[in-house]
Amino acid sequence: MEQDQITGVEYIVIKKDELKSIVDEIIETDFQMLDPESKEKIKDFSQGIPMMAVLLGESVRNGERFIGKLTDKYLLDNLLGSQGKETRSRIIMKTCSLFNYFGYEEELSSQLNFIATDKNITSLDGDNNVIINEFNEVCQFYLKREIFERRGRLIGMRPFPLALSLALEWLEICTPERLTKVIESIAALKEPDRTQLSEAFAEQMKYLGYSEKAVLVIEKIVGPGSPFDYADVLNTELGSRLFRSFVDVNPEAVAKNISRNLANKS
């Protein structure tokens, strides 16, 4: 983050990993009343950021049922800085937030190229090579700010509440038809991209249960006559994995789908 530093000021760089013990202490001291499961989720979702742990703990203590949801848009936007306010950068970050991790380097860079150029996932006009270059520039910028973290040749957005907020922004303008096309595009990929992105997408989807829009979209794509209303689709690796994630978003719609499929077999 050299471009954000003030000339003449000596900086001490503290990595997020070095703050995990502080997060543990905050949760055990200030949020003793929370159950062990909630404490572990807050530790996980805060990603070693003390302020995020405090905000998540306070939201749960104030009655929020969905750990990871924060309504402070001003704070979340500040994490992205001025670059996150630029339209094209914002679209790129919303796209990246749909996958908990995706391939970024070497042979796995095909995953970044896919999500950058699939128009149902990323709504950017322009030449595909230019868009891929924009993606790489934005990812490099936020890797330096530690908004992205590396996991081998993969990267993923952190902290989790930020990724969740951006994923919901993407979902707000998503139709069931568009989401179906996204799923079909991922299913058409070659390995290992198909399995990796299927898992990454499903992992993010399962946390969107507090969004009314997510609930409605899932209701339609598992409803009568939908792609997920056929046993052949549900029996595929991608279909079954996504279907399991939909349970966390709209369990009622999924239960009705299962009932229909069982009735059709009898």
Side-chain angles (χ1 to χ4, degrees):
M1 294 189 292
E2 295 180 0
Q3 67 274 23
D4 296 328
Q5 295 182 359
I6 301 172
T7 303
V9 176
E10 184 177 352
Y11 288 84
I12 300 175
V13 179
I14 302 175
K15 299 292 185 180
K16 283 189 284 187
D17 287 346
E18 300 172 28
L19 298 174
K20 287 184 178 178
S21 60
I22 299 176
V23 168
D24 292 344
E25 184 177 348
I26 288 172
I27 293 171
E28 294 303 328
T29 303
D30 295 346
F31 303 105
Q32 298 177 21
M33 75 297 299
L34 300 182
D35 61 86
E37 183 180 359
S38 295
K39 290 180 181 178
E40 286 303 313
K41 284 186 177 180
I42 291 172
K43 290 179 184 180
D44 187 28
F45 292 164
S46 65
Q47 297 296 312
I49 302 175
M51 179 182 292
M52 196 61 63
V54 171
L55 292 171
L56 291 172
E58 288 289 352
S59 70
V60 175
R61 185 159 61 184
N62 292 334
E64 176 57 60
R65 295 189 300 113
F66 296 95
I67 298 176
K69 177 185 177 183
L70 287 179
T71 56
D72 192 339
K73 292 286 291 181
Y74 177 77
L75 169 67
L76 295 174
D77 284 344
N78 276 350
L79 289 174
L80 295 177
S82 59
Q83 174 115 358
K85 296 178 182 178
E86 296 177 7
T87 300
R88 292 180 74 86
S89 293
R90 188 77 171 200
I91 290 173
I92 290 170
M93 291 299 282
K94 286 191 285 188
T95 293
C96 293
S97 73
L98 299 176
F99 305 90
N100 69 339
Y101 285 94
F102 58 89
Y104 176 67
E105 294 179 322
E106 300 176 14
E107 70 272 17
L108 294 186
S109 64
S110 57
Q111 295 177 21
L112 179 145
N113 296 347
F114 164 73
I115 66 175
T117 57
D118 186 289
K119 297 304 181 185
N120 288 304
I121 300 176
T122 304
S123 301
L124 284 178
D125 296 327
D127 178 77
N128 282 347
N129 289 327
V130 173
I131 294 173
I132 290 170
N133 288 337
E134 285 184 85
F135 259 77
N136 277 298
E137 289 171 7
V138 170
C139 289
Q140 280 288 344
F141 178 82
Y142 284 111
L143 275 167
K144 291 178 181 178
R145 294 179 69 97
E146 296 191 349
I147 294 298
F148 281 118
E149 72 171 7
R150 294 180 185 272
R151 181 179 287 181
R153 290 166 294 173
L154 309 173
I155 61 173
M157 190 179 296
R158 295 293 181 267
F160 178 77
L162 174 62
L164 195 60
S165 177
L166 289 171
L168 286 174
E169 284 186 26
W170 183 92
L171 192 66
E172 281 300 315
I173 57 173
C174 178
T175 64
E177 293 76 21
R178 180 183 177 187
L179 185 57
T180 299
K181 289 178 180 178
V182 170
I183 294 168
E184 291 172 347
S185 295
I186 295 174
L189 292 171
K190 295 180 180 179
E191 294 295 355
D193 294 350
R194 179 171 64 235
T195 296
Q196 168 63 37
L197 290 181
S198 297
E199 292 286 337
F201 185 67
E203 186 65 22
Q204 294 296 79
M205 285 295 296
K206 74 179 186 181
Y207 292 111
L208 300 179
Y210 67 80
S211 164
E212 291 183 10
K213 180 63 183 290
V215 171
L216 290 174
V217 169
I218 297 305
E219 181 178 1
K220 290 184 178 180
I221 69 171
V222 302
S226 70
F228 285 87
D229 203 35
Y230 299 97
D232 290 345
V233 175
L234 296 179
N235 288 334
T236 64
E237 181 179 352
L238 174 59
S240 61
R241 179 65 184 87
L242 285 170
F243 198 71
R244 291 197 299 274
S245 72
F246 295 159
V247 172
D248 295 297
V249 181
N250 192 334
E252 183 178 349
V254 170
K256 289 179 180 178
N257 178 290
I258 293 172
S259 296
R260 284 194 307 274
N261 275 282
L262 290 177
N264 291 335
K265 285 187 175 183
S266 60

